Amino acid sequence: MADKPIRVLLVDDHQVVRRGLRTFLEVQDDIEVVGEASDGAEGVDRAEELRPDVVLMDVKMPGTDGIEALKRLRELANPARVLIVTSFTEQRTVVPALRAGACGYVYKDIDPDALAGAIRSVHAGHVLLQPEVAGALLAQEDSHGGTGRGSTLTEREREVLGLIADGRSNREIARALVLSEKTVKTHVSNILMKLDLADRTQAALWAVRHGLTN
């Protein structure tokens, strides 16, 4: 039986943007647009109602913005993976969005086929950032003196970190390293603590910067 299509929710305050995204995505055989919302609050409600796989969300919207919506989705433990699609490139926008739980950050001028690929990548569990976005995070990491902390990681923690950077879930890491998921969770917590990082996105970027990817 064929795989189910990726269920996508569009959250943007501009109707013309939503219409354009829907028009393109509806011709993709493996992507289904299940709903739309015009601001962050409505986006959270629709995400809870529709349970999409991926949410395409703008950052700057009247009322509840994208970052606040991300925080609410995380508080609700909503499983949808959020891909930010925006025209804002400033570090003060990029970093809070990723810290709030976004799994990717791309710009609205992205090539349509690249956007479809981004949705597939985020749905598969990968962290997806355009080069200048990754650069903003890495620059912030350097400003906080993150380079030397890797020496405190054990060999096993370095293996786990490399797999995080490859977009693997805890279950996949456990299977690859023949460990229990509980043990993997402990390793992930230790990695974040030792590197003074907030989440898996920052851990993945740290691993890429320091050559721990496969």
Side-chain angles (χ1 to χ4, degrees), residues 116-200:
I119 292 170
R120 296 181 186 108
S121 181
V122 166
H123 178 250
H126 299 287
V127 174
L128 189 137
L129 305 173
Q130 290 186 291
E132 54 268 46
V133 176
L137 280 184
L138 292 171
Q140 185 178 76
E141 175 202 300
D142 284 345
S143 72
H144 286 81
T147 303
R149 295 192 293 263
S151 60
T152 65
L153 298 177
T154 66
E155 186 60 34
R156 178 63 85 188
E157 287 166 352
R158 291 172 73 86
E159 289 179 322
V160 170
L161 182 54
L163 291 170
I164 290 173
D166 288 339
R168 305 287 190 91
S169 66
N170 284 352
R171 178 174 297 180
E172 290 169 332
I173 294 172
R175 190 178 300 125
L177 299 180
V178 195
L179 300 171
S180 69
E181 282 191 62
K182 183 177 180 180
T183 298
V184 172
K185 288 180 181 178
T186 298
H187 284 315
V188 173
S189 295
N190 288 340
I191 289 165
L192 297 179
M193 178 184 68
K194 288 181 178 181
L195 298 181
D196 191 25
L197 301 174
D199 53 36
R200 294 171 76 97

Side-chain angles (χ1 to χ4, degrees), residues 27 32 47 55 60 80 89 93 106 108 113 116 119 130 132 148 152-153 157 162 165 169 176 183 186 202 211 213:
V27 304
E32 177 188 4
V55 178
K60 299 293 186 180
T89 62
T93 301
V106 299
K108 286 182 178 177
D113 289 328
I119 292 170
Q130 290 186 291
E132 54 268 46
T152 65
L153 298 177
E157 287 166 352
S169 66
T183 298
T186 298
Q202 292 186 18
T213 54

